[in-house]
Structures are given as C-alpha cells and as structure tokens.
Amino acid sequence: MEEDYKLAKWLNNELSENELDELKKDADYELLENIKNQSTLLKTKSFNEEKMLAKILAAKKESKVVSLNATNWIFRVAASLALVAGLLFTFYQFNTETIIASEKMAILLPDQSEVILNKNASIEYNSLFWNFNRKLELNGEAYFKVQKGEKFQVKTSNGTVSVLGTQFNVKTEKNIFEVVCYEGKVKVETKNNTNILTKGMAIALENNKIKESTTLLTEPKWNNTNFVVEFSNTSFKDIIEKIEKTYDVTIQTNFETHQSFTGKIPTDNLNVALQIVASTYHLQIQTKNSTEYELIVP
Amino acid sequence: MSATCNENTFSRIFKEHVSALRNFLYYKFGDYEQAEDKTQEAFIKLWQNCKDVPIEKAKSFLYTVAKNSSLNEIAHQKIVLEYQKTSNPISRTNENPEFILEQEQFHEKLMNAINNINETQRVAFLMNRIDGKKYHEIADELGISVKAVEKRIHLALIEIKKEIKNFR
C-alpha cells in the first residue's frame, strides 16, 4: 500500500476539501497552523555575495610560471611573445558574446546574418573578429539565415556545420544532432562522416549512425510565428502537461476524463490557454500564484 | 569553449543559486562560516572545471559538490533563525504586548523543535519554508524522489509538533 504523507500534502495546500475537514477536527490543528504560518516567516542571515563572487572568479587555476634563467635571451623573447599572446587572448576574451535564450529569440550578427534561438539554446561568438572569421558555438536548437560571404561555421559538441549564404536549422543536444537545410548548401562534419546538404535535405545523427531524410518545409516548425499548437485527439492529461511545459507553470487538478481534445491552444497567452481547456471540460480556474493554477469541477 | 567559462554567464549562475546553496549548507551544519566556506568552495570547483560542466548541469554539480564536502565536518551546531520584518509597519504597532510575547515564546519553541528533529527532515522542511522550494525542486537538489521529500516533510511536522508540546 502506498504511503500517503498527508501533512506534507496539507502543507502544500494539496489536500482535498474532505481531507482538510478531517484534519481540522484534530486537536492539534491550531498548533499545526501556527507552525505553518510562523515557519514561513523565518529567514537566514544575509552575507556579502559580491565579495564571494569576486573571490571565486579570482581563484582560476594558476598559470604555469616559467622561471627565467637570467642570461638566456631565448627565455626573454619567449616571455615577451607569451605576454603579447596573452594580451591578444584577453582582448579576444573581452569581445566574446554569449547569448542564452530563456525563450525563443532572434539575434542579428555583425554581418547581418540572423540566428533564431529556440528556448534554452545558447550561442557564443567573438563580435570583434566576426567579420574575419564567422564561427560560433551552439548548444541547443537554432535556425540560421546566413548572409553570403566567406565561411560561416557552427560548432557543436556533436559536429560542425559550414555554409555559404543559406538557411538551415541545427539541433544539438547530448545524443542528438540534426541538421536541416532550407536553402543553399551546407557541409556537415561529424566524427566519422562528412555530408553535403542542399535545399530540402536533412540528416540526423543517432548513435553515431547518420540517417538522411528530406523535408518539404521552408522553415522549421518551431519557428512558427503563429504561436499556436494544434492538438488532435489528445488526452486531457497530455494537454495539461503541454501547457505546464510551455508556460513553466504547475496545474493541479483532480479531474479525470476520457474525453480527448482536438483544437488549437496558444503558446503565448496562458490565460487564453487555460480558458480554452476550462471551458471545454466545464472546469473552473483557480489561480494560486503566477506559477500555480488549479482546475476544479465547479 | 563552454558557456560556463564566460564570466557573465557564470555570474548569472552564481546569483541564481548562491543564496539557496548557502542556506542548504547552513541547515545542515548550523554554522554560517562553514556554510559560506563550503558554498564558495563549490563555486570555485565549478569555475575551475567550467569547460567540462555545461550550464544546464551547473546546479546539479554545485549541489553534488556541496553534499560531498560535508563528509568530514564538525558536529551540528544550533541553527539560529529570525523572523522577517512584516511589510506593514502599522499592523505591528497595533499588536498588544501580550501577543508579541506569545509570538516570541512560540518562536523559541519552534526554533528549539527545528534544532531537535532529524537532520534530513530539518533540511527538507527549511528548504520548503525558507527558500520556498517546491517538493520536486527539493527532490532534484537532494537526489531523492518527490515521495521521499513528502515523507521527510510529513515526519518533520509530526516531530516539530511533538517537540513543541513537550517544551519545558
């Protein structure tokens, strides 16, 4: 029999009305309420975060120290070259741009090429050297619209994609690497393979095997600017999960049904999304806070 | 190069997690200095290993390092917590002295109880009450199931209740 930790559920306002009434009959209920309310007010001492951060950043691995044996001029030349290289490196570092998208966002690169990052994707590139060497690092999924010009490279942990003026989509995560070419030509280099893709061609790397396919789309589905997701005969549970994931909220509900949902739900308007589901299933929306909702049977 | 090695990115990760991580360690040891030291150590490890830890793994890395660093530590000290100032100054002046005294007495009983319960229960309970962490977040950070978190919180409440009733 599965244990039901009632007090933990009570603390989180998860008890049903019946269960709550039962608990209220307990002689210790007032004490529990006091514990709940007073514990919410507790706090810890604050501390100097800025100071800690400074100490942390300063604690980088120590660079190797070359001891100079005074008379040897080769050492001195090497030291000054190292100094110059170090300065250039620092200079390079200062112009490194890192962009992490918390939600879909579009970025214009110095040469007017466009990168549209999907949620949680990130890119890193050097803005100063961009026009000499168009190379960036990608994590996650992004759609590229590249201006004609010299080489344009997208480096990922799974492989590198090089292009001339073109439009393509790259998706890279731990074990996934997918490239779709929507226009022009791209070269995809992975550990064991090199593939050239032209318009309409796509490849996916799974377990080190390359799978080729084609697409009739002219741009990736996720870049759809209508901000709407279409469902067809989807279960109530799945709809709720999709809304939770899309808007990063939690939706509690005791409602169960076999009635499936067919229709469109917006991905840029939580209130409307909830209204649609609520009216479809004749439920009431209760807002607990900006990230917690409940759908109840009225 | 991993984005974690970028100073701005790393600073962002730091600001996001430093407070909760320091608190987590405080709940374990009851010693602010140690909690701060271990927090700093964990972030330094992340900074030094930045190229091997992608952003999405940073939080899990920090908590793992923090948990492991507590193996050879001094015995648990008493935790001291204060009440936040109420945001409405007017309501405070309207409270009668008797009420304030009652509140202070309850606070003493509550702190005593929190210090006397089992460490795992205390940590989970305070992560929820003070840091506002949801059960699934606590599960994630402690590396246990949500059910296990519920059990700890449930037992914490039972024990705290018992301790307060038995106080003095």
Side-chain angles (χ1 to χ4, degrees):
Chain A
M1 185 171 63
E2 217 192 41
E3 283 284 353
D4 187 21
Y5 298 110
K6 285 226 159 64
L7 293 184
K9 294 229 185 296
W10 165 77
L11 191 69
N12 205 29
N13 300 318
E14 275 173 29
L15 286 187
S16 68
E17 267 204 55
N18 285 338
E19 289 172 316
L20 187 58
D21 286 337
E22 273 301 305
L23 191 60
K24 284 187 174 164
K25 293 181 187 153
D26 191 313
D28 289 332
Y29 187 73
E30 204 184 308
L31 176 55
L32 274 177
E33 280 270 322
N34 276 341
I35 294 172
K36 177 176 177 181
N37 295 332
Q38 299 300 313
S39 62
T40 310
L41 299 176
L42 296 171
K43 64 167 182 157
T44 52
K45 209 173 70 167
S46 61
F47 65 101
N48 195 331
E49 292 182 16
E50 294 297 326
K51 200 160 138 202
M52 187 187 282
L53 180 59
K55 280 199 213 153
I56 293 166
L57 294 174
K60 205 49 172 177
K61 275 185 284 251
E62 278 160 355
S63 45
K64 289 210 193 109
V65 176
V66 178
S67 59
L68 298 179
N69 255 322
T71 51
N72 198 328
W73 67 271
I74 295 179
F75 272 39
R76 289 200 218 132
V77 171
S80 54
L81 279 178
L83 185 63
V84 173
L87 282 176
L88 278 179
F89 183 65
T90 317
F91 192 51
Y92 180 97
Q93 285 231 297
F94 279 134
N95 289 294
T96 302
E97 301 285 335
T98 304
I99 298 162
I100 304 164
S102 54
E103 46 184 15
K104 200 169 95 171
M105 73 188 283
I107 301 179
L108 204 59
L109 297 168
D111 67 336
Q112 307 305 310
S113 292
E114 209 183 307
V115 183
I116 299 170
L117 294 174
N118 202 351
K119 197 169 170 175
N120 292 327
S122 71
I123 57 169
E124 206 171 280
Y125 67 99
N126 186 292
S127 53
L128 194 68
F129 292 128
W130 182 257
N131 289 310
F132 297 117
N133 184 4
R134 301 190 299 170
K135 183 173 77 166
L136 59 82
E137 267 181 42
L138 167 73
N139 234 299
E141 182 165 27
Y143 177 54
F144 298 86
K145 294 187 188 169
V146 178
Q147 290 292 319
K148 278 206 160 67
E150 294 286 304
K151 215 153 81 138
F152 182 113
Q153 270 189 337
V154 177
K155 280 179 78 170
T156 74
S157 54
N158 286 312
T160 302
V161 185
S162 322
V163 303
L164 300 172
T166 193
Q167 291 182 19
F168 61 104
N169 195 74
V170 181
K171 178 167 166 179
T172 179
E173 263 143 62
K174 197 161 82 168
N175 292 321
I176 304 171
F177 186 51
E178 288 168 7
V179 183
V180 184
C181 179
Y182 294 101
E183 185 92 21
K185 204 196 259 190
V186 306
K187 179 164 81 170
V188 183
E189 288 166 287
T190 51
K191 203 161 73 163
N192 304 320
N193 294 284
T194 299
N195 293 69
I196 307 261
L197 306 179
T198 52
K199 180 171 172 167
M201 287 172 68
I203 59 162
L205 179 74
E206 243 173 285
N207 299 323
N208 285 321
K209 289 210 202 82
I210 295 273
K211 228 171 56 159
E212 289 174 1
S213 58
T214 55
T215 179
L216 291 174
L217 300 171
T218 51
E219 62 165 24
K221 273 197 192 150
W222 62 265
N223 196 32
N224 181 345
T225 45
N226 287 334
F227 297 113
V228 150
V229 177
E230 250 199 83
F231 293 101
S232 177
N233 282 325
T234 311
S235 73
F236 173 73
K237 203 165 81 84
D238 285 348
I239 297 281
I240 297 295
E241 255 179 55
K242 182 73 181 172
I243 296 180
E244 282 182 326
K245 269 202 194 121
T246 306
Y247 292 97
D248 209 3
V249 296
T250 34
I251 302 174
Q252 302 261 27
T253 181
N254 287 324
F255 182 68
E256 278 178 305
T257 177
H258 289 302
Q259 210 189 337
S260 62
F261 182 87
T262 298
K264 292 192 187 148
I265 303 248
T267 55
D268 62 334
N269 191 326
L270 176 58
N271 281 327
V272 174
L274 288 174
Q275 290 290 351
I276 291 174
V277 176
S279 57
T280 303
Y281 292 98
H282 307 293
L283 302 169
Q284 242 176 42
I285 306 170
Q286 259 186 17
T287 308
K288 301 205 187 152
N289 57 54
S290 61
T291 54
E292 275 175 37
Y293 297 85
E294 196 176 355
L295 290 175
I296 55 172
V297 183
Chain B
M1 185 173 68
S2 163
T4 314
C5 292
N6 175 275
E7 232 178 79
N8 288 333
T9 310
F10 183 86
S11 299
R12 214 177 43 89
I13 297 174
F14 176 82
K15 290 198 177 94
E16 204 182 319
H17 297 299
V18 69
S19 186
L21 186 62
R22 195 279 313 240
N23 282 355
F24 165 73
L25 289 166
Y26 181 63
Y27 304 151
K28 279 176 87 78
F29 303 121
D31 184 315
Y32 278 118
E33 212 180 294
Q34 236 191 90
E36 272 175 52
D37 283 346
K38 301 249 164 272
T39 302
Q40 191 172 293
E41 264 173 47
F43 275 101
I44 287 179
K45 286 233 167 73
L46 177 64
W47 185 228
Q48 289 175 338
N49 291 300
C50 63
K51 57 181 174 58
D52 297 317
V53 184
I55 305 172
E56 62 272 16
K57 295 265 156 63
K59 177 176 169 183
S60 146
F61 178 91
L62 289 166
Y63 275 85
T64 306
V65 170
K67 275 182 274 172
N68 285 323
S69 73
S70 59
L71 289 178
N72 303 315
E73 286 326 316
I74 59 178
H76 160 66
Q77 314 257 54
K78 266 197 160 160
I79 297 189
V80 175
L81 300 167
E82 297 144 9
Y83 279 147
Q84 294 169 33
K85 303 245 179 303
T86 42
S87 48
N88 186 351
I90 297 174
S91 72
R92 300 219 81 207
T93 54
N94 277 347
E95 285 162 1
N96 61 51
E98 204 182 300
F99 176 79
I100 294 177
L101 181 64
E102 259 176 43
Q103 224 197 23
E104 278 172 22
Q105 283 177 341
F106 186 80
H107 179 76
E108 200 190 332
K109 294 185 195 176
L110 180 59
M111 279 323 305
N112 185 69
I114 287 175
N115 272 304
N116 287 345
I117 63 175
N118 189 291
E119 183 193 298
T120 58
Q121 290 164 13
R122 168 174 54 253
V123 173
F125 181 70
L126 293 177
M127 282 171 90
N128 176 263
R129 302 324 287 159
I130 300 184
D131 301 302
K133 299 232 170 216
K134 307 254 181 295
Y135 295 166
H136 68 86
E137 283 179 282
I138 299 175
D140 202 41
E141 283 157 27
L142 298 182
I144 57 179
S145 68
V146 175
K147 241 326 176 246
V149 175
E150 285 179 352
K151 179 174 176 177
R152 292 181 189 192
I153 301 242
H154 177 89
L155 293 177
L157 283 167
I158 291 182
E159 290 304 309
I160 290 175
K161 205 169 48 119
K162 221 194 277 180
E163 288 280 334
I164 290 180
K165 285 169 88 170
N166 293 337
F167 189 78
R168 280 217 234 280

